[in-house]
Amino acid sequence: MERPFLEAQGLHKRFGALEAVLVGYLLWSFTLLSYSSLSFGLTEEAQTGTLEQVFLTPYGPIPLFLVRNLSGLLIQGLLVFLIALVLMALTGARLSFHPGVVLPFLAVLLGGYGLGFAMGSLALLYKRIGQLLGLSQFLLLFLLQAPGQGLFLLLPMAPGAALARSMLAEGAPLDPLFLLLAFLNGFLYLGLGLFLFKLAVHRAKKLGLLHGY
């Protein structure tokens, strides 16, 4: 009687690990779309010389970039959902979809935009950082797979990603306190990214990289 039980336990752990990996990949796809659209967009405009026109708008660059990227959020979410359905059909994994899982995804998105603005500040000053942006995509994968405990909670996006994994892969309920921690983490890194971007703008003006601004 023990052998079938142990085999069932091993099967459960294997599929549980598969579902956790699947959720990590979905989080990475979702974050990569938001992160890359912001950072690569800033890099492209800096290289083509159209970035100065963005800074001359009456609304300023930060609201413009945020609204422009948030406008594609719905499409990004639908794309990730379709990817999830396809991967579930191919792998046999089962995810526990719950409306509340949108909240940790939003917390992860905040951190992703913060990192995007931080990388955008480098693009503003140094123009060509394509290789660095490519390498940073693998860093995102590590951050989104980091354990949701201890000092790992201080990493960008880690609390929100851990909460999303537990809800989707394990069917855990939404933890309000952990969700609050995830949003605090997201807003912290968003604020840090915006701060670095403003510093880069100030530095670029001193260096004459933003003529007329």
Side-chain angles (χ1 to χ4, degrees):
M1 295 293 293
E2 292 183 359
R3 186 174 178 180
F5 175 75
L6 293 176
E7 289 179 351
Q9 287 291 96
L11 187 64
H12 173 74
K13 291 180 179 179
R14 185 167 73 249
F15 278 99
L18 175 62
E19 290 158 355
V21 172
L22 176 58
V23 174
Y25 175 75
L26 294 176
L27 283 167
W28 182 67
S29 301
F30 181 72
T31 308
L32 190 60
L33 288 170
S34 58
Y35 166 79
S36 61
S37 63
L38 181 59
S39 53
F40 277 101
L42 283 167
T43 304
E44 183 179 359
E45 294 199 19
Q47 292 176 357
T48 57
T50 59
L51 190 59
E52 295 179 10
Q53 300 176 6
V54 175
F55 278 81
L56 292 174
T57 60
Y59 303 103
I62 292 177
L64 183 62
F65 282 122
L66 281 176
V67 171
R68 188 171 66 181
N69 285 275
L70 286 174
S71 62
L73 180 61
L74 180 59
I75 298 177
Q76 294 172 11
L78 290 175
L79 179 60
V80 170
F81 180 72
L82 291 176
I83 292 175
L85 294 180
V86 172
L87 291 178
M88 288 171 61
L90 292 175
T91 62
R94 292 293 177 265
L95 300 181
S96 177
F97 288 101
H98 185 277
V101 79
V102 174
L103 297 176
F105 267 77
L106 290 178
V108 170
L109 183 69
L110 292 174
Y113 277 133
L115 294 181
F117 274 111
M119 294 301 295
S121 64
L122 295 178
L124 184 62
L125 294 174
Y126 302 107
K127 309 295 182 182
R128 300 184 181 276
I129 59 168
Q131 293 182 349
L132 180 60
L133 287 174
L135 292 174
S136 65
Q137 296 178 7
F138 296 98
L139 175 62
L140 289 180
L141 187 60
F142 165 75
L143 294 174
L144 294 171
Q145 291 286 9
Q149 57 187 355
L151 294 178
F152 289 104
L153 293 175
L154 300 177
L155 296 176
M157 302 180 294
L163 181 57
R165 280 199 308 271
S166 65
M167 294 180 66
L168 285 172
E170 303 170 12
L174 179 63
D175 187 335
L177 292 179
F178 206 87
L179 179 64
L180 177 61
L181 177 62
F183 271 104
L184 288 176
N185 179 280
F187 279 115
L188 172 64
Y189 282 99
L190 176 61
L192 179 61
L194 292 175
F195 174 73
L196 293 176
F197 187 74
K198 289 182 178 180
L199 286 181
V201 170
H202 182 70
R203 177 66 176 169
K205 289 194 294 183
K206 280 191 172 183
L207 296 175
L209 301 176
L210 293 174
H211 302 288
Y213 179 72

